[in-house]
Amino acid sequence: MDGKVFLGGGGDNYSEPQGLSLKYANRHGLIAGATGTGKTVTLQILAEGFSEAGVPVFLADVKGDLSGLAKSGTPEHKLHNPFTERATTIGFTDFAYRASPVTFWDLFGEQGHPVRTTVTEMGPLLLSRLLELSEAQEGILNIAFRLADEEGLPLLDLKDLQALLVWIGENRAQLSLRYGNVSTASIGAIQRRLLVIENQGASKLFGEPALELKDLMRTDDQGRGMVNILASDKLMAAPGLYATFLLWLLSELFEELPEVGDPDKPKLVFFFDEAHLLFDDAPKVLVDKVEQVARLIRSKGVGVYFITQNPADVPEDILGQLGNRVQHALRAFTAKDRKNLRLAAETYRENPAFDTEEAIREVGVGEAVTSMLQKKGVPGIVERTLIRPPSSQLGPITKAERRAHLSASDLGGKYDALLDRNSAFEILSKRAEQAAKEAEAAEAEEEEQPMMQREYSAARRYSGARVSRSSSRYTRKKDTFASAMGEAVIKELKGTTGRRIVRGILGSFFKGR
């Protein structure tokens, strides 16, 4: 299909080709359905289709199945006959087994090239989300980022941020006058949360060399878009880290890419699997940021596709921006399930040939209810679509095959080795070391002075705070009281009453004479 990513066949006997228009692919989409209904295969065939059209793809491999994109399918596979029969049914005459160009990535650097960013690039908002901080704690984190800018302290990794928080705690009295209360309790809470995510492996996310977005937007020598696969099976053990990282990546794409309007095809397509993790217990400010990015990033030529079990997992304001939809079967076991099913059906443009709600409930594995944007971005009529078979391997590749693929990648020399340059931790350590040396030198200089000079120096430092409790304090209080009484009498004498008294005394005196 020219200008489209072929999805499968719809209409009577599944003979009408159904495709996603590349021109409207940057207007985002949704892949939804219950577990085991075929969402992963749909994601796989979309990645293949975009790659063939020269569009780079970034996707998260939550179950490990999508690594099969790097290897061609084979006629020896147990599903070869069903695949060929399905291809014939839907009129997929170009069906052939073929691998896609793949780059493997991994936050932990075990199943792919390490993916890193710096603490500064992550920013206080997303970092607060990752650390699950309170409003007061988030305020201190914002102070830390401000001070890092003012003091010239690069925040590259977690130890930089931890060192800066220690420095803030040591100088909290002066900082509180400028920024408001800086409590040691809040600093301690942030440090504990940093320790938690460090134990989860987040320390490997922060550092250098940081990921360059251009390395996600490459094509191979045949003009096919690179399929970037993020190994996420282990990452899912820390869902907050998973969601925060992908949101950071979206934000970076939004901030760095230039405006391109409505291109003939996207510059990048981004698949966000397990999308509900992004919105679960998320504060409103974060949901608003996701909505802003989703609304505006399409003009940067980036299409965002959310994959989740139920459309209700995505906030309504964001769901309304997802024009291309593939809805696999939804189960309706409870009253809430039936309500969600009805709401999902109401979002589609009706087809008089069938009932949409009933179709969503009845479609089988490998089949879906689809609606794609048509000319001028108008939603297409909903269709029951039999999804095409994948050209790449269905299921994961072996560990040996993955290692061989990584060793042949041209990005290994760029990202695999960790770079630890001079940053906040090193700068603050040097400052502390210099201050300790100066204090030691001053103490040594004082000890070398003659006894008379040391006593004189000590006398100069004498203050009332060093005097022990004695009766002199009582005496000073009494003197102070007497002085106060004397001052009151003098003041009164200087006033009108005082002048009257003086005139009376002098008058009596002269009368006596």
Side-chain angles (χ1 to χ4, degrees):
M1 300 178 69
D2 293 337
K4 291 187 177 183
V5 175
F6 182 59
L7 290 176
D12 294 336
N13 301 318
Y14 304 113
S15 58
E16 299 177 10
Q18 301 296 312
L20 191 161
S21 175
L22 290 169
K23 185 174 179 60
Y24 301 110
N26 65 326
R27 300 198 180 186
H28 313 321
L30 174 73
I31 303 173
T35 301
T37 56
K39 297 192 302 296
T40 301
V41 176
T42 297
L43 196 164
Q44 184 170 345
I45 64 106
L46 282 174
E48 290 177 357
F50 280 121
S51 177
E52 286 293 327
V55 179
V57 172
F58 183 92
L59 56 87
D61 188 7
V62 173
K63 296 179 290 186
D65 295 344
L66 294 171
S67 61
L69 279 160
K71 186 177 179 180
S72 173
T74 64
E76 288 75 28
H77 193 275
K78 63 181 180 180
L79 293 178
H80 171 68
N81 290 334
F83 281 173
T84 54
E85 290 175 4
R86 177 178 296 190
T88 302
T89 300
I90 63 178
F92 189 17
T93 57
D94 295 334
F95 176 61
Y97 291 121
R98 188 180 186 186
S100 297
V102 168
T103 301
F104 290 108
W105 302 92
D106 185 1
L107 260 67
F108 306 108
E110 297 172 357
Q111 302 181 68
H113 300 304
V115 183
R116 302 186 189 92
T117 184
T118 64
V119 172
T120 297
E121 289 178 343
M122 179 68 75
L125 175 62
L126 292 182
L127 196 56
S128 297
R129 158 69 168 165
L130 176 59
L131 298 175
E132 300 177 351
L133 300 184
S134 66
E135 185 176 351
Q137 294 159 3
E138 184 178 351
I140 290 179
L141 196 61
N142 277 279
I143 292 173
F145 275 78
R146 170 66 68 85
L147 288 171
D149 289 338
E150 294 177 350
E151 297 289 330
L153 301 172
L155 297 177
L156 304 181
D157 50 29
L158 287 186
K159 71 177 187 295
D160 288 329
L161 181 56
Q162 290 165 337
L164 180 57
L165 288 170
V166 170
W167 184 84
I168 290 174
E170 293 171 346
N171 297 273
R172 63 186 180 280
Q174 297 91 329
L175 295 175
S176 294
L177 295 175
R178 180 176 178 184
Y179 297 107
N181 184 43
V182 178
S183 70
T184 54
S186 293
I187 294 175
I190 298 173
Q191 294 281 38
R192 287 192 295 273
R193 292 303 307 167
L194 287 173
L195 182 61
V196 170
I197 67 167
E198 189 175 9
N199 291 338
Q200 292 175 348
S203 58
K204 295 184 178 180
L205 168 61
F206 298 104
E208 291 184 319
L211 176 67
E212 294 186 34
L213 295 182
K214 66 179 183 180
D215 290 328
L216 299 180
M217 306 174 70
R218 303 185 302 156
T219 56
D220 68 358
D221 53 4
Q222 300 178 39
R224 296 181 298 170
M226 192 65 65
V227 179
N228 300 277
I229 300 178
L230 177 70
S232 304
D233 48 348
K234 182 179 178 182
L235 184 59
M236 290 304 296
L241 179 59
Y242 169 80
T244 303
F245 168 74
L246 292 186
L247 181 54
W248 164 80
L249 187 53
L250 270 180
S251 300
E252 287 294 295
L253 290 167
F254 170 67
E255 292 173 6
E256 292 193 17
L257 294 181
E259 295 279 341
V260 294
D262 287 317
D264 291 334
K265 61 182 180 181
K267 298 177 66 175
L268 177 71
V269 171
F270 187 101
F271 290 96
F272 202 131
D273 202 358
E274 300 293 341
H276 66 279
L277 296 175
L278 182 60
F279 306 107
D280 287 350
D281 302 321
K284 185 178 184 302
V285 63
L286 189 64
V287 175
D288 290 344
K289 183 175 179 63
V290 177
E291 181 185 352
Q292 178 196 38
V293 171
R295 185 174 65 253
L296 300 178
I297 202 172
R298 75 174 185 87
S299 64
K300 307 295 183 82
V302 177
V304 182
Y305 289 72
F306 295 94
I307 299 96
T308 188
Q309 292 192 15
N310 197 309
D313 296 333
V314 181
E316 188 172 345
D317 289 341
I318 297 173
L319 189 64
Q321 302 177 45
L322 310 182
N324 300 297
R325 300 193 180 189
V326 179
Q327 177 67 67
H328 289 273
L330 285 179
R331 310 308 180 196
F333 299 115
T334 66
K336 183 178 180 181
D337 291 340
R338 289 191 291 273
K339 179 181 178 181
N340 289 335
L341 175 60
R342 184 175 64 256
L343 292 175
E346 290 174 353
T347 61
Y348 289 93
R349 184 179 168 189
E350 293 183 2
N351 188 331
F354 60 88
D355 180 82
T356 305
E357 182 177 344
E358 184 177 338
I360 295 176
R361 185 168 49 246
E362 293 180 351
V363 289
V365 176
E367 188 181 5
V369 171
T370 64
S371 175
M372 301 296 145
L373 294 178
Q374 307 295 326
K375 290 182 179 180
K376 298 183 180 180
V378 176
I381 295 175
V382 65
E383 289 284 357
R384 289 184 65 154
T385 302
L386 189 62
I387 303 298
R388 77 164 180 86
S391 298
S392 55
Q393 176 175 296
L394 189 64
I397 59 175
T398 65
K399 292 182 179 179
E401 290 170 334
R402 186 188 286 264
R403 285 194 299 268
H405 197 282
L406 283 171
S407 63
S409 172
D410 58 347
L411 294 178
K414 183 175 182 178
Y415 291 108
D416 290 355
L418 178 66
L419 174 65
D420 189 12
R421 66 182 176 94
N422 195 50
S423 55
F425 175 79
E426 289 78 14
I427 294 172
L428 292 174
S429 296
K430 288 179 181 178
R431 288 185 186 179
E433 183 179 351
Q434 182 64 29
K437 288 181 179 179
E438 290 176 357
E440 185 178 352
E443 186 177 348
E445 182 181 355
E446 183 178 345
E447 291 180 355
E448 292 176 358
Q449 293 177 347
M451 181 65 70
M452 186 76 69
Q453 182 66 27
R454 277 186 287 172
E455 291 179 354
Y456 175 75
S457 299
R460 286 173 60 89
R461 292 193 298 271
Y462 177 83
S463 67
R466 296 173 61 185
V467 177
S468 60
R469 186 183 299 273
S470 68
S471 59
S472 62
R473 292 189 176 184
Y474 176 76
T475 304
R476 284 197 300 274
K477 287 182 180 180
K478 185 167 67 175
D479 291 346
T480 301
F481 176 75
S483 299
M485 288 297 296
E487 290 176 0
V489 171
I490 291 171
K491 183 177 181 181
E492 188 64 30
L493 289 175
K494 288 181 179 179
T496 304
T497 305
R499 288 195 294 271
R500 289 174 180 173
I501 293 174
V502 171
R503 284 199 300 268
I505 293 174
L506 291 177
S508 301
F509 176 74
F510 286 114
K511 278 184 180 181
R513 293 185 64 182

